[in-house]
Amino acid sequence: MTIFDELKARGLLAQLTDEEEIKELINNGKAVFYIGFDPTADSLHVGHFMALCLMKRLQMAGNKPIALIGGGTAMIGDPSGRTDMRSMMTRETIEHNCECFKKQMSRFIDFSEGKAMMVNNADWLLDLNYVEFLRDVGAHFSVNRMLAAECYKQRMEKGLSFLEFNYMIMQSYDFLCLYEKYGCNMQFGGDDQWSNMLGGTELIRRKLGKDAYAMTITLLLNSEGKKMGKTQKGAVWLDPEKTSPYEFYQYWRNVADADVLKCLRMLTFLPLAQIDEMDKWEGSELNKAKEILAYELTKLVHGEEEAVKAQESARALFSGQDTSEMPTVSLSDTDFTEGVMDILGVLVKAGLTASRSEARRAVEQGGVTVDGVKVTDIKTMYTAEVFAGDGIVVKRGKKSFKRVKV
């Protein structure tokens, strides 16, 4: 199976321009491709996973990835999929986030000499002469066609600022610069980026002639992949300081039954034949598939040692054995009122609920246990001594666990 066929079999490719040419480049290791990442936080999250895994696969096949950090475009903010305008960030914040991204990406991509590149579009966007840019680049864009793009349609009702309206042109200009500076002949992006990406391909061909070798591919379900990064309690980060390896493991261990095989195909490097065998699995066997998914992805992000610890801790939790690797919340004297804390306060402090009212509902609905015992009274109180030593294990529902100790 060629690398192109494998990408299709894993469900990673959606829309393409110039399919035969793309296939030729990818299969022969001649693609110099880029994927963009806007540094809107100081950590990547699981919504970026699909893109990172794709870059790794293509690099393993001899192709050269360019990780484009949007230090310049982040000054504006991508309107795609947004109902409101992104908050502005300072240059210092953006630069810090860029450094954090590179460190995390290095777990997936080999940035050694000649194998991959990381570049920042601030290098060419921040020093542009506005009038020259309009004449040189803006003249190639039709406002009518831009307004018809899906990424702008979603914002027209609530109002699209002129600042954001420039995003498509700037992203298109990125591709032109990468093409001219580094020989980048291909771009990948999520399905919500299709209009922006086509703008880049068309800009290259209009400016440099129809023979210019620029191609576009979108990733199947990448907008769904971005949603993967969010849970009811916030984002699932790749930074272990934000989301512990155990929590990361548990996130994937608890994916929906309908999603587990899809995630195994798109995100792991297990052979397709092995994953296809799991198609026959049912009932409790699906839990085994989820364990495999969680272990493989935790190993990819945090290393084998942390993946083993997370898996053993998760299994121990259900068997009543040692759970020392479970995420822990530490209390201080100020968390107690006259030496006690009620169950609602414990749930909020542990981060298992966002508020006392949510905690109340969880208890009343029978979804809370402490050290394996269901708590049904919202007035249940705990003295500080209860949290001494190993503390207590608080569980909400089937998926959320925390050790709480002093």
Side-chain angles (χ1 to χ4, degrees):
M1 181 182 289
T2 66
I3 182 62
F4 184 86
D5 291 336
E6 182 179 355
L7 295 182
K8 277 203 160 183
R10 288 183 180 274
L12 285 167
L13 303 184
Q15 302 178 78
L16 301 85
T17 63
D18 313 283
E19 180 168 340
E20 290 305 312
E21 289 86 349
I22 289 171
K23 187 185 301 185
E24 171 72 16
L25 287 175
I26 289 176
N27 288 341
N28 290 289
K30 296 179 180 178
V32 181
F33 67 97
Y34 94 89
I35 298 180
F37 300 83
D38 272 351
T40 53
D42 60 0
S43 173
L44 297 164
H45 57 70
V46 299
H48 296 111
F49 227 50
M50 195 181 299
L52 294 169
C53 291
L54 176 72
M55 296 174 85
K56 183 178 177 71
R57 289 183 208 282
L58 288 171
Q59 186 180 52
M60 290 168 64
N63 300 286
K64 183 177 180 178
I66 298 176
L68 177 66
I69 305 300
T73 41
M75 302 287 286
I76 292 179
D78 185 359
S80 301
R82 301 280 300 184
T83 58
D84 56 357
M85 187 171 171
R86 294 184 186 273
S87 59
M88 297 292 181
M89 295 189 296
T90 65
R91 284 197 187 189
E92 291 75 19
T93 298
I94 292 171
E95 288 172 3
H96 170 72
N97 293 351
C98 289
E99 287 301 314
C100 294
F101 275 25
K102 184 169 185 177
K103 183 178 179 181
Q104 292 177 351
M105 286 180 181
S106 295
R107 292 199 68 94
F108 295 82
I109 304 164
D110 180 0
F111 285 106
S112 59
E113 187 67 31
K115 293 185 178 180
M117 298 179 65
M118 175 173 283
V119 296
N120 189 331
N121 64 14
D123 293 343
W124 55 80
L125 289 179
L126 297 188
D127 293 327
L128 282 173
N129 179 292
Y130 185 61
V131 174
E132 287 181 7
F133 181 72
L134 288 179
R135 288 172 60 90
D136 190 41
V137 177
H140 295 282
F141 287 82
S142 161
V143 171
N144 290 344
R145 290 185 64 184
M146 290 174 70
L147 289 175
E150 194 62 35
C151 60
Y152 290 139
K153 280 182 181 178
Q154 298 174 18
R155 289 295 310 278
M156 290 300 288
E157 290 184 10
K158 288 198 172 183
L160 175 71
S161 72
F162 182 70
L163 179 71
E164 295 171 292
F165 188 61
N166 281 270
Y167 192 92
M168 180 188 291
I169 300 177
M170 296 177 74
Q171 182 171 328
S172 300
Y173 185 64
D174 283 344
F175 195 15
L176 174 64
C177 289
L178 292 171
Y179 180 91
E180 293 181 322
K181 290 175 180 286
Y182 309 113
C184 181
N185 52 27
M186 198 176 298
Q187 59 179 333
F188 285 75
D191 52 6
D192 58 340
Q193 294 291 312
W194 184 242
S195 298
N196 293 345
M197 294 166 66
L198 286 180
T201 296
E202 292 175 7
L203 175 62
I204 290 175
R205 293 179 179 178
R206 286 174 183 171
K207 277 190 63 65
L208 305 179
K210 292 183 179 179
D211 293 333
Y213 226 35
M215 301 166 187
T216 305
I217 300 179
T218 65
L219 306 183
L220 180 63
L221 298 174
N222 199 40
S223 58
E224 187 172 303
K226 288 182 179 179
K227 294 174 187 174
M228 279 185 195
K230 302 290 184 180
T231 69
Q232 289 182 345
K233 297 187 290 297
V236 178
W237 304 100
L238 305 194
D239 183 347
E241 297 299 318
K242 292 177 175 289
T243 299
S244 73
Y246 177 85
E247 291 171 307
F248 188 85
Y249 178 94
Q250 283 294 95
Y251 173 79
W252 295 107
R253 172 63 181 79
N254 291 307
V255 298
D257 289 355
D259 292 334
V260 61
L261 289 177
K262 179 170 64 178
C263 290
L264 280 164
R265 288 191 177 95
M266 292 193 294
L267 304 177
T268 75
F269 289 79
L270 296 175
L272 281 169
Q274 180 181 346
I275 299 171
D276 290 341
E277 279 296 311
M278 299 182 200
D279 260 330
K280 305 169 187 174
W281 293 3
E282 297 179 353
S284 60
E285 287 182 312
L286 281 177
N287 287 329
K288 182 180 178 182
K290 292 179 184 182
E291 274 200 342
I292 294 171
L293 172 68
Y295 178 81
E296 290 296 324
L297 297 188
T298 306
K299 181 173 71 172
L300 187 62
V301 174
H302 299 295
E304 186 169 11
E305 182 179 350
E306 290 296 338
V308 170
K309 284 182 183 178
Q311 186 171 70
E312 289 177 349
S313 293
R315 289 174 175 173
L317 182 65
F318 289 98
S319 64
Q321 299 171 5
D322 175 55
T323 57
S324 58
E325 294 297 328
M326 186 185 303
T328 299
V329 173
S330 295
L331 305 178
S332 64
D333 291 341
T334 58
D335 293 315
F336 295 89
T337 302
E338 296 182 355
V340 297
M341 179 185 295
D342 65 6
I343 183 60
L344 306 186
V346 172
L347 287 166
V348 173
K349 185 64 181 178
L352 296 173
T353 63
S355 64
R356 288 181 63 86
S357 58
E358 183 182 340
R360 175 189 291 267
R361 289 193 297 273
V363 172
E364 291 176 342
Q365 292 166 4
V368 175
T369 64
V370 172
D371 284 341
V373 179
K374 182 178 290 188
V375 179
T376 57
D377 185 355
I378 61 172
K379 296 181 180 179
T380 301
M381 306 294 289
Y382 300 92
T383 63
E385 288 76 16
V386 171
F387 301 96
D390 291 335
I392 61 175
V393 175
V394 185
K395 174 182 174 184
R396 182 192 175 188
K398 296 180 179 180
K399 302 180 180 181
S400 301
F401 310 88
K402 286 286 179 70
R403 177 180 297 283
V404 185
K405 58 191 292 187
V406 174

